[in-house]
Amino acid sequence: MITQGAPASKAVTYSRVMLKISGEALMGDQGFGLHPPTVQRIANEVKTVHDLGVEICMVIGGGNIFRGLQGSAQGMERTTADYMGMLATVMNALAMQAALESLGIFTRVISAIPMDQVCEPYIRRRAVRHLEKKRVCIFAAGTGNPYFTTDTAATLRANEMACQAIFKGTKVDGVYDMDPRKHSHAKRYETVTYDEVLQKHLGVMDASAIALARDNDLPIIVFSLDEPGGFCGILRGEGTYTRVHG
């Protein structure tokens, strides 16, 4: 079903969620790297949800620093390029941790690649305990394996942590039938199925992530990260977004 911007009528309330954002979301208007005011703004959005008592997991991409697929396309060996991209996600996770802790939110960066001097290794039961103690858990270094995106890592960790939904923060307020930034007549989906996302190539997440979410009946909420209060508003049953489901 397609709608032209009307919010979903049914309130959406979750107690444990995964927030997936791209590395590019942290660079603001810059063309590269981290933009501290933008990092702080996103941290403030996370705090408003944390203040509701919601347990929050996060996965942040690394494309603002290095993207493995692009490195591979330029002649670098793919596995090496992907590992470099994983290290970029650790840098972004540490930046977000610093911003959240400046707001008084206890945060743990948990890496799929052990680097004990800067963050914790991934141990599922320990991560679950952090969430139960209302600490924000930022999962870094993807799955720890090349050839897998941070979309897939977010879906994997969301399932392992028993999250009730993945919140995919983007530049637009949902899933459209075409890019709304290029086509003024683009129409937004209020809800869309996993299979429609795959069949129509809607670009919500990569195919592996969508298939993993579908197989575990894990809904994906696509919303605008640039809309102030948007993340918190959806949890209160407000705002505009697209729900991807079975």
Side-chain angles (χ1 to χ4, degrees), residues 155 159 163 194 210-219:
T155 310
N159 280 303
C163 292
Y194 305 113
I210 294 295
L212 184 57
R214 178 190 61 194
D215 293 347
N216 292 276
D217 198 24
L218 180 66

Side-chain angles (χ1 to χ4, degrees), residues 28-177:
D29 294 330
Q30 301 174 158
F32 179 82
L34 289 159
H35 184 238
T38 298
V39 176
Q40 196 64 52
R41 178 183 64 78
I42 295 173
N44 289 334
E45 293 289 319
V46 173
K47 182 180 186 300
T48 62
V49 172
H50 183 268
D51 288 347
L52 296 176
V54 177
E55 297 170 3
I56 303 170
C57 304
M58 293 183 69
V59 168
I60 307 171
N64 57 318
I65 299 171
F66 187 87
R67 186 179 292 278
L69 204 55
Q70 289 179 351
S72 177
Q74 294 173 12
M76 185 177 292
E77 194 271 325
R78 174 66 188 270
T79 301
T80 298
D82 279 356
Y83 278 121
M84 291 175 67
M86 292 179 213
L87 296 178
T89 72
V90 177
M91 295 173 68
N92 284 339
L94 292 172
M96 183 57 65
Q97 179 186 42
L100 288 168
E101 291 190 338
S102 74
L103 299 173
I105 299 173
F106 292 108
T107 307
R108 295 291 184 272
V109 173
I110 302 172
S111 173
I113 299 175
M115 47 186 81
D116 296 346
Q117 291 176 306
V118 295
C119 51
E120 293 185 10
Y122 176 68
I123 300 172
R124 188 184 68 84
R125 288 181 179 272
R126 180 186 292 175
V128 169
R129 186 61 178 146
H130 286 321
L131 291 172
E132 291 171 347
K133 291 182 176 181
K134 305 303 180 185
R135 297 166 181 161
V136 172
C137 289
I138 307 176
F139 297 100
T143 66
N145 302 288
Y147 295 94
F148 289 92
T149 67
T150 51
D151 281 345
T152 300
T155 310
L156 173 65
R157 296 295 184 235
N159 280 303
E160 290 179 304
M161 296 297 105
C163 292
Q164 296 163 323
I166 298 175
F167 279 69
K168 176 74 181 286
T170 70
K171 293 288 186 181
V172 294
D173 59 357
V175 180
Y176 285 78
D177 59 349

Side-chain angles (χ1 to χ4, degrees), residues 14 16 22 34 39 54 85 102 108 121 147 149 157 174 199 204 212 223 226 231 233 240-241:
Y14 303 106
R16 180 180 293 175
S22 67
L34 289 159
V39 176
V54 177
S102 74
R108 295 291 184 272
Y147 295 94
T149 67
R157 296 295 184 235
Q199 292 165 5
V204 176
L212 184 57
F223 73 106
D226 293 336
F231 186 22
T240 303
Y241 56 90

